[in-house]
Amino acid sequence: MATKRSQKRAGRDRQRNASLVQSKLSKIVAESSSNAPIIRQNAATNLLALNRRHRLKMPKNISLMLCKKCNVIYNSKNSRTRIKHGQLIKTCLECDYVRRLGGGPKSHRRR
């Protein structure tokens, strides 16, 4: 039976290895010019699974690139981006999921 000290070390090693893999996968997803779309999509799927398995936070720049419903990477062909009243509205054309980013106007403060 393992001691508490070796269990803690194993947990730290697991977290460290998971964060290294997360950074490598996020580089693959973020670089659009050098990788094929299929490779980027597979990396995004693996990144989501890794984050769930190890309870890691998704990097902010990557989470803005992914649809929350169907987990597809946004590009100009499968998404629509609009700005309306200071609010960024991204629509996934694959699953019609609408994502609103930013607070928009402070309508309750208008007179």
Side-chain angles (χ1 to χ4, degrees):
M1 198 157 134
T3 63
K4 283 191 175 190
R5 186 173 292 171
S6 64
Q7 287 175 353
K8 285 182 183 180
R9 188 180 317 131
R12 283 193 304 262
D13 290 344
R14 180 185 58 82
Q15 284 292 103
R16 189 179 309 117
N17 291 338
S19 63
L20 288 173
V21 172
Q22 181 188 35
S23 65
K24 289 179 183 178
L25 285 173
S26 62
K27 284 181 186 177
I28 292 171
V29 172
E31 294 175 3
S32 61
S33 60
S34 63
N35 296 320
I38 296 171
I39 294 172
R40 290 180 66 216
Q41 187 61 49
N42 285 338
T45 305
N46 288 333
L47 182 63
L48 287 166
L50 178 87
N51 288 339
R52 286 187 191 120
R53 189 178 307 123
H54 295 285
R55 295 182 181 183
L56 298 174
K57 286 189 175 182
M58 178 72 78
K60 190 68 172 176
N61 60 342
I62 302 298
S63 68
L64 294 176
M65 294 173 61
L66 297 175
C67 175
K68 287 194 169 216
K69 187 174 180 183
C70 64
N71 298 327
V72 72
I73 298 175
Y74 287 134
N75 60 27
S76 60
K77 295 177 184 171
N78 65 359
S79 68
R80 178 176 52 233
T81 304
R82 304 284 170 93
I83 298 175
K84 186 175 182 181
H85 302 297
Q87 189 175 41
L88 182 68
I89 302 170
K90 287 187 175 186
T91 305
C92 179
L93 300 177
E94 302 280 329
C95 64
D96 293 330
Y97 180 73
V98 178
R99 187 171 181 189
R100 291 174 178 85
L101 302 164
K106 305 289 186 189
S107 58
H108 63 282
R109 293 186 184 176
R110 289 189 198 162
R111 291 186 180 197

